[in-house]
Amino acid sequence: MSTVYNRIINSQNAIAILIDPDKFSQQNSDDFLRKLNLAQPDFIFVGGSTVSKTDFDTCILELKKKTFAPLIIFPGGAHQIHEAADCILFLSLLSGRNPDYLIGHHIAAADEISKMKIEVIPTSYLLIDGGKKTSVEFVSQTTPIPHDQESLARKIALAGMLQGKKITYLDAGSGAINMVSQSMIKQVKTINLPLIIGGGIRTIEEVKTVHGAGANIVVIGNRIEEDIEFLLDVANYQKNKNEMA
Ligand code: 1GP
């Protein structure tokens, strides 16, 4: 069966564009959507730390109608679920000790999700210090893993795998000054699980670096919110990548 998870496992050098429904009302223009489709992202992630249910639902429905890539929910809370999406990353914030983000939101969402046809991927989510306080840190009231604690990140990801998580996501947080280091990516990649890396990735050079270190999927959010023309650089990257494949 062709599932989003199979697609992720088989993805090398994939790009996910992150859409924050909080900002989507300004982005929802023909120009933005045309460039988003031109970029041919491998995945579109949708989610945010402070999003209302109404904005979330509108964003999912609009993107489902107007874009082509698999739509993956990257939830900031229990209310960010919708059956029009293809998949939800069922995130546990394993770098922190806040029970709400380890299991609380999951319980709140469990009945509703299980009634939907949506694919659910249990995911270890680790927040890594990216040089500034990010909204995930503030909202979750957790402390990120220090930037240079590669072995701690690896151990947490390994524990997540032993708990049954199918993916590891290392996030320096939206707008991070420092992206996750190559050495941390390499260490965590020694665990044989697909790896998603996000936070503070702002150039194609950085995308290449992160892919080169072993990320299956690189997530780009902030850079596109600031400059939608960057979608054209992503389009070129994707075109070259597909030609080389
Ligand atoms: C944040 O990983 C994402 O959760 C993306 O980060 O917005 O900095 O690209 P940016």
Side-chain angles (χ1 to χ4, degrees), residues 216-231:
N216 295 72
I217 304 177
V218 169
V219 184
I220 306 170
N222 223 261
R223 177 66 208 270
I224 285 156
E225 289 164 11
E226 288 168 9
D227 174 17
I228 66 170
E229 301 308 315
F230 188 66
L231 286 167

Side-chain angles (χ1 to χ4, degrees), residues 83-137:
E83 62 188 339
D86 298 294
C87 170
I88 180 166
L89 299 178
F90 208 51
L91 303 174
S92 294
L93 181 53
L94 297 186
S95 54
R97 297 295 178 271
N98 181 339
D100 289 342
Y101 290 88
L102 285 164
I103 188 64
H105 285 272
H106 313 68
I107 296 169
D111 271 341
E112 206 177 334
I113 290 180
S114 65
K115 285 183 199 134
M116 294 177 175
K117 278 203 213 107
I118 193 166
E119 184 179 340
V120 180
I121 304 180
T123 302
S124 296
Y125 183 56
L126 281 67
L127 196 58
I128 313 297
D129 191 346
K132 72 172 219 194
K133 189 157 181 153
T134 57
S135 38
V136 183
E137 184 182 340

Side-chain angles (χ1 to χ4, degrees), residues 18 74 125 169 171 173-176 198-200 219-222:
L18 172 62
F74 168 47
Y125 183 56
Y169 189 151
D171 196 349
S174 195
V219 184
I220 306 170
N222 223 261

Side-chain angles (χ1 to χ4, degrees), residues 52 55 66 72 80 93 110 129 134 141 147 216 222 243 245:
S52 74
D55 287 347
K66 297 177 180 170
I72 300 185
Q80 294 178 35
L93 181 53
D129 191 346
T134 57
Q141 299 282 302
H147 194 257
N216 295 72
N222 223 261
E243 278 169 8

